[in-house]
Amino acid sequence: QVQLVESGGGWVQAGGSLTLSCAASGTISRRNAMGWYRQAPGKQRELVAAMWSGGYTNYADFVKGRFTISRDNAKNTVYLHLAGLKPEDTAVYYCRAWGPDEYWGRGTQVTVSS
């Protein structure tokens, strides 16, 4: 059974940065895609960034140029570096792995104050 555990969330002032980590216990195939989603209060969960095997990445328009996704296959860990944070980035950030099975972490809170 695979578990995903996020860490690195916290409180930061606008313009600041954070790095989130998602560590997978169990075996995550390198063929699995991994990504980050977020959900703000009262809003639907939305894709932030994703990375497929081979290094292909996809970012939501609202984070392009500010956030960077990376992956360390040896550590079964995916990272999300958040820079230039804005109050509207405040949300719970979730890690997801998929293909063929799907896994979700429990999330880590990111709070950005103005």
Side-chain angles (χ1 to χ4, degrees), residues 10-18 85 90 110-114:
W11 176 90
V12 64
Q13 288 188 323
S17 61
L18 287 171
L85 282 162
T90 295
V110 172
T111 303
V112 185
S113 65
S114 57

Side-chain angles (χ1 to χ4, degrees), residues 8-102:
W11 176 90
V12 64
Q13 288 188 323
S17 61
L18 287 171
T19 299
L20 308 182
S21 300
C22 171
S25 63
T27 301
I28 289 285
S29 169
R30 295 185 180 189
R31 294 171 295 178
N32 281 72
M34 296 189 75
W36 290 92
Y37 290 69
R38 71 184 188 186
Q39 188 167 19
K43 294 187 177 181
Q44 290 189 330
R45 192 172 297 188
E46 58 186 356
L47 173 70
V48 176
M51 175 176 276
W52 282 263
S53 60
Y56 175 77
T57 58
N58 185 40
Y59 293 91
D61 286 342
F62 53 78
V63 301
K64 284 183 179 177
R66 298 191 298 128
F67 295 2
T68 305
I69 188 171
S70 61
R71 181 171 177 175
D72 186 334
N73 289 321
K75 295 182 178 180
N76 271 349
T77 300
V78 65
Y79 304 94
L80 185 69
H81 181 66
L82 301 79
L85 282 162
K86 305 174 183 179
E88 51 264 43
D89 294 319
T90 295
V92 178
Y93 285 71
Y94 296 90
C95 178
R96 177 190 179 213
W98 67 98
D101 297 321
E102 182 182 52

